[in-house]
Amino acid sequence: MPEISRFFGITILMFFGDHDPPHFHVFYSGMEAKVSIKSREVIQGEISARALKLIKEWIDLHEKELLDNFEKIKNRKEDWKKIEPLT
C-alpha cells in the first residue's frame, strides 16, 4: 500500500487493486477514512473536521496527480509518484 503523502500527522495511502470511485485512505489520530477525490467527501469511516478541511485543501492543489496515481495504483503499476505535502 503506497504512502502518497504525509502532513500535519495525516497519512494518505492508496491500495493496489483498489476499486472505483477514485479515492484514498486517510489515517489521522487513531481515525481512518476513505475520501473521494472528486467529491472530497468521506465515503467510509471517520475523520475529524479539522483534518478533513486540510485534506480538502490538499486535494484542491493536487487533484490531477491524485487521479493519475489512483489509476496507476489501481492497475498495480509501479510508476506512481509521491505528492507534495500541505505546508
Side-chain angles (χ1 to χ4, degrees), residues 20-85:
D20 287 325
H23 66 278
F24 53 82
H25 300 256
V26 179
F27 295 86
Y28 174 72
S29 191
M31 293 177 277
E32 178 180 349
K34 288 183 190 177
V35 176
S36 168
I37 296 168
K38 292 181 180 180
S39 75
R40 290 150 172 74
E41 297 300 323
V42 172
I43 54 178
Q44 185 178 3
E46 186 177 331
I47 201 80
S48 72
R50 177 187 174 276
L52 186 57
K53 182 178 183 221
L54 293 169
I55 292 163
K56 287 179 179 182
E57 183 179 335
W58 180 74
I59 295 171
D60 287 343
L61 296 170
H62 300 287
E63 182 175 12
K64 182 180 179 336
E65 294 163 275
L66 285 162
L67 291 170
D68 288 345
N69 270 353
F70 182 81
E71 285 304 314
K72 289 175 181 177
I73 293 169
K74 178 177 88 168
N75 294 308
R76 301 182 185 276
K77 295 184 178 175
E78 297 290 335
D79 60 339
W80 60 273
K81 299 195 177 7
K82 286 219 177 230
I83 298 176
E84 288 294 316

Side-chain angles (χ1 to χ4, degrees), residues 2-21:
E3 181 177 305
I4 303 302
S5 193
R6 184 184 296 249
F7 51 91
F8 304 119
I10 299 166
T11 303
I12 309 290
L13 303 167
M14 288 184 179
F15 296 166
F16 288 111
D18 221 339
H19 55 81
D20 287 325

